């Protein structure tokens, strides 16, 4: 599993768009949301710890690239 950062755009009345923030999404090896098995894994300490470790690494890398990046 890995994370991607999807931009969230701010669009004004003239339809000018700019990136406002990013949404962190988790993906499996097929590039899809991991599904119900992933959600069930979060109910165990081991599964939750693995997800936190992977997310922490992704966030650290993303924030090192752009210190002022806002991520949800």
């Amino acid at each position: 599993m890995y994370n991607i950062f999807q931009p969230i755009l701010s669009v004004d009345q003239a339809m000018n768009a700019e990136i406002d923030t990013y949404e962190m999404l988790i993906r499996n090896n097929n590039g899809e949301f991991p599904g119900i098995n992933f959600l069930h894994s979060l109910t165990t300490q081991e599964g939750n710890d693995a997800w936190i470790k992977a997310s922490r690494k992704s966030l650290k890398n993303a924030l090192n690239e752009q210190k002022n990046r806002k991520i949800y």
Side-chain angles (χ1 to χ4, degrees):
M1 284 189 287
Y2 60 95
N3 296 100
I4 62 169
F5 295 88
Q6 176 174 289
I8 299 173
L9 303 176
S10 175
V11 181
D12 65 17
Q13 289 185 356
M15 299 304 290
N16 298 310
E18 64 179 75
I19 296 174
D20 181 53
T21 57
Y22 293 83
E23 177 180 29
M24 186 173 83
L25 305 171
I26 193 161
R27 296 291 181 249
N28 64 17
N29 292 334
N30 295 326
E32 302 166 336
F33 180 75
I36 197 72
N37 290 336
F38 167 71
L39 295 174
H40 286 302
S41 76
L42 295 179
T43 64
T44 68
Q45 188 65 47
E46 181 180 282
N48 200 35
D49 288 345
W51 177 75
I52 289 171
K53 182 179 178 183
S55 295
R56 184 175 285 146
K57 182 178 178 182
S58 292
L59 283 168
K60 184 177 179 180
N61 290 340
L63 292 172
N64 281 337
E65 292 173 13
Q66 264 187 323
K67 301 244 184 262
N68 294 325
R69 180 182 283 187
K70 292 186 281 181
I71 300 172
Y72 295 100

